[in-house]
Amino acid sequence: EDQVTQSPEALRLQEGESSSLNCSYTVSGLRGLFWYRQDPGKGPEFLFTLYSAGEEKEKERLKATLTKKESFLHITAPKPEDSATYLCAVGGDSNYQLIWGAGTKLIIKP
Amino acid sequence: DTAVSQTPKYLVTQMGNDKSIKCEQNLGHDTMYWYKQDSKKFLKIMFSYNNKELIINETVPNRFSPKSPDKAHLNLHINSLELGDSAVYFCASSQDQTGRRQYFGAGTRLSVL
């Protein structure tokens, strides 16, 4: 069964303190792994798509990496405005559905 | 100009009532979705339409009925509301049914009392 597990559930960091969020997945035939950001009271907002192991994508202070079993979202020198819930989703080749993780709530304290 | 807009943003109603949520996208996308996000933040796909055709119909009570009058609109009607239906419902769209990048509305918070 396709599955996505994100860890930790919540992460509190000081401004400037770098860290990583984890997304572990099992899927039959990875079609793509997706990272989204969700702010309170809003819908998820697309960040990255990764398609194959070894691929990396960067955007400002965020960098997403992918292996055959997991993806990491590295955040470098975060700022308070990076506080949000980060969601990971995977698409397999059996259908067009995305399987979503429960998210990691990231809090950056000034 | 909001890309994916859904109304209402909040919906408070009594058990047993019937309610509808509307969604519109102005991105020219072919595919639209309804998701349910529970209190634990899991996003679960409910339905997906591609060019007005139902392509994903997850195990959802038949009290939930989607309708797509055209590819820019996807509405959700819920009959005989139950307490367990309380959640945030998100509409989303993507260019095609591969769903590589989905654009979400702001959500409708449904509270059933």
Side-chain angles (χ1 to χ4, degrees):
Chain A
E1 185 184 343
D2 297 347
Q3 197 169 354
V4 175
T5 304
Q6 291 188 247
S7 61
E9 283 187 24
L11 183 60
R12 285 177 167 79
L13 300 172
Q14 287 294 134
E15 184 173 359
E17 182 185 358
S18 301
S19 189
S20 297
L21 314 182
N22 178 263
C23 172
S24 297
Y25 65 91
T26 54
V27 66
S28 57
L30 181 69
R31 178 166 52 83
L33 184 141
F34 308 86
W35 281 99
Y36 284 76
R37 168 190 171 129
Q38 185 174 20
D39 292 297
K42 295 188 177 181
E45 182 182 346
F46 173 83
L47 291 173
F48 304 110
T49 307
L50 300 166
Y51 293 106
S52 57
E55 191 175 357
E56 298 182 354
K57 294 271 178 75
E58 280 189 73
K59 180 181 178 181
E60 296 179 357
R61 295 175 293 282
L62 297 175
K63 179 179 174 181
T65 61
L66 181 65
T67 72
K68 289 187 178 179
K69 293 183 180 179
E70 59 191 350
S71 176
F72 290 94
L73 185 64
H74 306 278
I75 181 157
T76 303
K79 299 181 177 182
E81 53 262 40
D82 295 321
S83 297
T85 295
Y86 290 85
L87 299 169
C88 171
V90 296
D93 60 9
S94 58
N95 57 48
Y96 287 128
Q97 287 186 45
L98 294 185
I99 308 299
W100 295 79
T104 293
K105 184 174 182 178
L106 179 65
I107 300 168
I108 308 299
K109 295 179 285 185
Chain B
D1 213 15
T2 306
V4 180
S5 57
Q6 53 183 111
T7 56
K9 188 162 176 63
Y10 300 97
L11 195 48
V12 181
T13 188
Q14 299 288 329
M15 260 194 330
N17 284 351
D18 303 339
K19 291 292 178 186
S20 292
I21 308 172
K22 294 187 175 183
C23 180
E24 176 182 2
Q25 55 96 1
N26 63 6
L27 298 167
H29 288 169
D30 286 344
T31 308
M32 296 185 73
Y33 311 82
W34 277 114
Y35 284 94
K36 179 180 181 180
Q37 188 173 45
D38 60 26
S39 57
K40 294 188 177 181
K41 299 295 185 183
F42 271 109
L43 269 170
K44 290 184 181 177
I45 184 74
M46 300 174 69
F47 305 102
S48 177
Y49 274 75
N50 186 61
N51 272 320
K52 301 194 298 176
E53 182 183 342
L54 182 65
I55 57 171
I56 296 174
N57 185 1
E58 280 301 283
T59 307
V60 173
N62 57 15
R63 298 181 294 103
F64 290 80
S65 52
K67 279 197 174 64
S68 182
D70 54 61
K71 74 174 192 176
H73 295 84
L74 180 60
N75 304 322
L76 183 65
H77 187 76
I78 316 169
N79 289 325
S80 303
L81 278 155
E82 300 178 358
L83 294 176
D85 298 332
S86 296
V88 181
Y89 293 83
F90 285 102
C91 175
S93 73
S94 63
Q95 190 165 9
D96 55 43
Q97 60 187 336
T98 63
R100 289 180 186 176
R101 177 174 179 169
Q102 296 184 18
Y103 293 77
F104 284 79
T108 296
R109 182 172 293 275
L110 172 65
S111 298
V112 183
L113 307 178

